[in-house]
Amino acid sequence: MSYSNRRNRGRGAFSYFLEFIIIIAGITVSFFLNEWRAAKKAEEKKISLLQEINNDLAKDSIQLELSIKLYQKLLNSHDSLLENAKSTLNEDSLDVYVDQVASYYPFKETQSTFLKIINDPDLVISKQDTLLELFLVIHNQLYQYTHEWTSNDKSFVLEQLLPYMDMHAPFYYPPPTNKSFQGKVFNALKKDDAFMNLLKSGRSYKSAILQVYGACLSQLKTYKSKVNNRLEKPIS
């Protein structure tokens, strides 16, 4: 009888059980280790996405701030014409005011990280990933709300205001370079209530867009602060 056979005959049931437990424990530890590595990798991926989101939000915030300043100018032009309908305005100022009345400026957000998230088949967003969920809400709801208002303003300018001005603006006022109308057409058009009502409607659109853009910018700043706070924490 060989030594190995004699050795196996001498082993009891407890010895086999202990060996089995050790094997199971090794498999279990290996399994949990792999799970931990996968979870850590997923967390690192989400942190990387938050860094990219932070960059996108910075760009969008700058763009919104510029849009707000521009729409404030457009609103001021409407107010200047409405408040001075019975006064004589400087011709250079009129050129600017009339040009801005017939203008619109849609906000366009940065979409790179948003598209990256929604097109990633391996990314699983859990209940704990509230920052990622909020980012999707910003794109799917908040930004869409701003687009609805700018689309309304665009439609108003292209389908109502400009066609009216094309139809009624005196031909003998040639437009300045890079402008659709000479400002002095206002002196002729302001005699028509329909045109003045269009100015009032245009002012309402610009005012609403300013409020929407301002609220959107406030939401972005709040969300960006939360993202910054998360990025400052170490990966668990």
mmCIF file of all heavy atoms in Angstrom, residues 54 223-233:
data_model
loop_
_atom_site.group_PDB
_atom_site.id
_atom_site.type_symbol
_atom_site.label_atom_id
_atom_site.label_comp_id
_atom_site.label_asym_id
_atom_site.label_seq_id
_atom_site.Cartn_x
_atom_site.Cartn_y
_atom_site.Cartn_z
ATOM 1 N N ASN A 54 -19.294 68.284 -14.921
ATOM 2 C CA ASN A 54 -18.891 69.556 -14.337
ATOM 3 C C ASN A 54 -18.366 70.504 -15.404
ATOM 4 O O ASN A 54 -18.660 71.704 -15.399
ATOM 5 C CB ASN A 54 -17.825 69.313 -13.266
ATOM 6 C CG ASN A 54 -17.749 70.431 -12.251
ATOM 7 O OD1 ASN A 54 -18.754 71.055 -11.919
ATOM 8 N ND2 ASN A 54 -16.566 70.706 -11.760
ATOM 9 N N TYR A 223 -26.945 72.713 -8.895
ATOM 10 C CA TYR A 223 -26.548 71.347 -9.235
ATOM 11 C C TYR A 223 -25.029 71.233 -9.341
ATOM 12 O O TYR A 223 -24.434 70.268 -8.858
ATOM 13 C CB TYR A 223 -27.198 70.937 -10.549
ATOM 14 C CG TYR A 223 -26.733 69.595 -11.070
ATOM 15 C CD1 TYR A 223 -27.094 68.406 -10.434
ATOM 16 C CD2 TYR A 223 -25.923 69.512 -12.198
ATOM 17 C CE1 TYR A 223 -26.660 67.178 -10.907
ATOM 18 C CE2 TYR A 223 -25.494 68.291 -12.670
ATOM 19 C CZ TYR A 223 -25.866 67.137 -12.024
ATOM 20 O OH TYR A 223 -25.424 65.917 -12.490
ATOM 21 N N LYS A 224 -24.401 72.223 -9.960
ATOM 22 C CA LYS A 224 -22.943 72.201 -10.119
ATOM 23 C C LYS A 224 -22.247 72.203 -8.760
ATOM 24 O O LYS A 224 -21.214 71.560 -8.563
ATOM 25 C CB LYS A 224 -22.475 73.397 -10.947
ATOM 26 C CG LYS A 224 -21.019 73.323 -11.410
ATOM 27 C CD LYS A 224 -20.713 74.472 -12.352
ATOM 28 C CE LYS A 224 -19.300 74.333 -12.908
ATOM 29 N NZ LYS A 224 -18.252 74.310 -11.877
ATOM 30 N N SER A 225 -22.831 72.917 -7.790
ATOM 31 C CA SER A 225 -22.275 72.932 -6.437
ATOM 32 C C SER A 225 -22.318 71.541 -5.820
ATOM 33 O O SER A 225 -21.357 71.101 -5.161
ATOM 34 C CB SER A 225 -23.053 73.925 -5.570
ATOM 35 O OG SER A 225 -22.590 73.908 -4.240
ATOM 36 N N LYS A 226 -23.411 70.814 -6.044
ATOM 37 C CA LYS A 226 -23.527 69.451 -5.534
ATOM 38 C C LYS A 226 -22.508 68.529 -6.199
ATOM 39 O O LYS A 226 -21.914 67.660 -5.539
ATOM 40 C CB LYS A 226 -24.941 68.926 -5.766
ATOM 41 C CG LYS A 226 -26.003 69.646 -4.962
ATOM 42 C CD LYS A 226 -27.388 69.080 -5.255
ATOM 43 C CE LYS A 226 -28.468 69.806 -4.455
ATOM 44 N NZ LYS A 226 -29.827 69.277 -4.738
ATOM 45 N N VAL A 227 -22.310 68.712 -7.488
ATOM 46 C CA VAL A 227 -21.310 67.894 -8.203
ATOM 47 C C VAL A 227 -19.917 68.172 -7.658
ATOM 48 O O VAL A 227 -19.125 67.250 -7.428
ATOM 49 C CB VAL A 227 -21.362 68.178 -9.716
ATOM 50 C CG1 VAL A 227 -20.210 67.484 -10.444
ATOM 51 C CG2 VAL A 227 -22.696 67.698 -10.301
ATOM 52 N N ASN A 228 -19.603 69.437 -7.426
ATOM 53 C CA ASN A 228 -18.286 69.801 -6.884
ATOM 54 C C ASN A 228 -18.079 69.173 -5.504
ATOM 55 O O ASN A 228 -16.977 68.681 -5.204
ATOM 56 C CB ASN A 228 -18.154 71.314 -6.795
ATOM 57 C CG ASN A 228 -17.923 71.976 -8.147
ATOM 58 O OD1 ASN A 228 -17.348 71.354 -9.039
ATOM 59 N ND2 ASN A 228 -18.379 73.191 -8.293
ATOM 60 N N ASN A 229 -19.109 69.195 -4.679
ATOM 61 C CA ASN A 229 -19.002 68.595 -3.347
ATOM 62 C C ASN A 229 -18.723 67.088 -3.444
ATOM 63 O O ASN A 229 -17.943 66.553 -2.660
ATOM 64 C CB ASN A 229 -20.282 68.833 -2.549
ATOM 65 C CG ASN A 229 -20.453 70.283 -2.154
ATOM 66 O OD1 ASN A 229 -19.486 71.044 -2.094
ATOM 67 N ND2 ASN A 229 -21.694 70.700 -1.896
ATOM 68 N N ARG A 230 -19.370 66.424 -4.382
ATOM 69 C CA ARG A 230 -19.143 64.974 -4.548
ATOM 70 C C ARG A 230 -17.734 64.704 -5.057
ATOM 71 O O ARG A 230 -17.080 63.745 -4.618
ATOM 72 C CB ARG A 230 -20.187 64.389 -5.518
ATOM 73 C CG ARG A 230 -19.954 62.904 -5.814
ATOM 74 C CD ARG A 230 -20.093 62.083 -4.536
ATOM 75 N NE ARG A 230 -19.721 60.689 -4.719
ATOM 76 C CZ ARG A 230 -18.496 60.198 -4.544
ATOM 77 N NH1 ARG A 230 -17.502 61.046 -4.146
ATOM 78 N NH2 ARG A 230 -18.253 58.932 -4.705
ATOM 79 N N LEU A 231 -17.245 65.536 -5.963
ATOM 80 C CA LEU A 231 -15.915 65.325 -6.524
ATOM 81 C C LEU A 231 -14.818 65.538 -5.494
ATOM 82 O O LEU A 231 -13.706 65.016 -5.633
ATOM 83 C CB LEU A 231 -15.694 66.234 -7.732
ATOM 84 C CG LEU A 231 -16.538 65.914 -8.977
ATOM 85 C CD1 LEU A 231 -16.316 66.967 -10.056
ATOM 86 C CD2 LEU A 231 -16.197 64.523 -9.519
ATOM 87 N N GLU A 232 -15.120 66.306 -4.464
ATOM 88 C CA GLU A 232 -14.135 66.565 -3.414
ATOM 89 C C GLU A 232 -13.998 65.389 -2.454
ATOM 90 O O GLU A 232 -13.022 65.310 -1.711
ATOM 91 C CB GLU A 232 -14.519 67.816 -2.640
ATOM 92 C CG GLU A 232 -14.377 69.110 -3.460
ATOM 93 C CD GLU A 232 -14.891 70.312 -2.720
ATOM 94 O OE1 GLU A 232 -15.417 70.120 -1.591
ATOM 95 O OE2 GLU A 232 -14.779 71.435 -3.239
ATOM 96 N N LYS A 233 -14.967 64.472 -2.466
ATOM 97 C CA LYS A 233 -14.926 63.313 -1.583
ATOM 98 C C LYS A 233 -14.131 62.188 -2.230
ATOM 99 O O LYS A 233 -14.207 61.993 -3.455
ATOM 100 C CB LYS A 233 -16.343 62.823 -1.265
ATOM 101 C CG LYS A 233 -17.202 63.837 -0.531
ATOM 102 C CD LYS A 233 -18.605 63.299 -0.300
ATOM 103 C CE LYS A 233 -19.489 64.307 0.397
ATOM 104 N NZ LYS A 233 -20.868 63.789 0.592
#
